[in-house]
Amino acid sequence: KAGVTQTPRYLIKTRGQQVTLSCSPISGHRSVSWYQQTPGQGLQFLFEYFSETQRNKGNFPGRFSGRQFSNSRSEMNVSTLELGDSALYLCASRGRLAGSTDTQYFGPGTRLTVL
Amino acid sequence: AQSVTQLDSHVSVSEGTPVLLRCNYSSSYSPSLFWYVQHPNKGLQLLLKYTSAATLVKGINGFEAEFKKSETSFHLTKPSAHMSDAAEYFCVVSDRSNAGNMLTFGGGTRLMVKP
């Protein structure tokens, strides 16, 4: 079974621009979560989507948004980029049941650098 | 609210000696607990998972962890370290209190293995 894939793997943007990151979950999985990893703040939850609906949202400004498509693929968008948005963005895929304790499987991440 | 504290940010051991990575958690509900490992420039790989079955959980690569409710701890151990174990390790608690599934991460412990 193929794992979680994220594209692109690396991205360089400048302040004020916007960026879209993509995540394809494991086949059959319906939940996709996004996390931001920075040296200062560690790993922080951004949001979770299940069957195209946002189920949970972390404590991030409205510049961070996401969506999920009918095939469970998810995109995350960051508008008006700031230097502090430089981070590794990780996507995690989980099974077929909402609210279950199924393991989350992580993709390799997208490294975003904001100049 | 839930939280995770990893008591050591860095642990250094010699190859062939035991590994102990300490984790304490706080959760209002019966928690699901995980250990993930992250090698440099990689995503997160699941080592093991506790979900209220046996309190001693065995994972991949010889790692195991013991859930101790009275101490709110979930320490990770390995009898004999290998050079390939050098990585960052994250203790994680899963929030099952709502319809979603949000992971809360500890700050991470960087394990260094000396030859």
Side-chain angles (χ1 to χ4, degrees):
Chain A
K1 207 181 233 186
V4 180
T5 58
Q6 292 187 246
T7 56
R9 293 291 313 278
Y10 301 91
L11 208 48
I12 299 175
K13 293 285 188 180
T14 56
R15 277 182 299 174
Q17 288 186 308
Q18 75 164 24
V19 66
T20 299
L21 312 181
S22 180
C23 172
S24 293
I26 292 170
S27 178
H29 284 189
R30 295 168 61 187
S31 166
V32 172
S33 297
W34 289 89
Y35 296 85
Q36 182 196 63
Q37 185 176 25
T38 60
Q41 299 299 317
L43 276 148
Q44 294 183 287
F45 171 76
L46 279 156
F47 27 66
E48 180 197 11
Y49 286 87
F50 185 92
S51 293
E52 304 178 63
T53 302
Q54 190 178 87
R55 305 293 295 232
N56 277 305
K57 190 177 190 319
N59 190 24
F60 278 83
R63 300 185 298 107
F64 291 82
S65 63
R67 60 178 175 168
Q68 188 179 33
F69 301 95
S70 58
N71 63 357
S72 295
R73 188 178 71 85
S74 177
E75 288 182 347
M76 189 193 97
N77 185 273
V78 188
S79 62
T80 319
L81 283 166
E82 300 177 0
L83 295 178
D85 297 333
S86 294
L88 181 67
Y89 289 89
L90 291 162
C91 162
S93 156
R94 187 171 60 83
R96 293 179 293 276
L97 300 176
S100 79
T101 58
D102 290 353
T103 299
Q104 293 195 22
Y105 295 94
F106 285 81
T110 294
R111 174 76 62 187
L112 171 64
T113 302
V114 182
L115 302 176
Chain B
Q2 57 190 20
S3 64
V4 180
T5 302
Q6 291 183 242
L7 299 165
D8 306 292
S9 59
H10 293 81
V11 169
S12 181
V13 301
S14 297
E15 191 174 22
T17 64
V19 175
L20 169 64
L21 306 183
R22 299 181 296 165
C23 170
N24 287 112
Y25 70 92
S26 170
S27 176
S28 303
Y29 298 86
S30 182
S32 289
L33 294 162
F34 307 79
W35 277 97
Y36 284 86
V37 61
Q38 186 177 35
H39 291 274
N41 299 314
K42 300 282 188 184
L44 296 165
Q45 180 185 18
L46 178 71
L47 279 178
L48 50 79
K49 170 184 176 182
Y50 167 78
T51 54
S52 75
T55 56
L56 183 62
V57 183
K58 293 189 184 298
I60 62 171
N61 301 335
F63 284 95
E64 62 181 38
E66 186 172 7
F67 173 72
K68 291 187 176 180
K69 186 174 181 179
S70 60
E71 299 176 9
T72 60
S73 69
F74 190 57
H75 301 334
L76 182 71
T77 61
K78 182 173 181 177
S80 176
H82 191 272
M83 295 297 292
S84 61
D85 294 329
E88 186 140 25
Y89 292 79
F90 293 94
C91 182
V92 183
V93 61
S94 175
D95 178 11
R96 292 186 291 166
S97 62
N98 56 28
N101 189 315
M102 182 182 84
L103 300 183
T104 299
F105 287 80
T109 298
R110 184 165 299 279
L111 175 65
M112 294 166 282
V113 182
K114 298 175 291 188

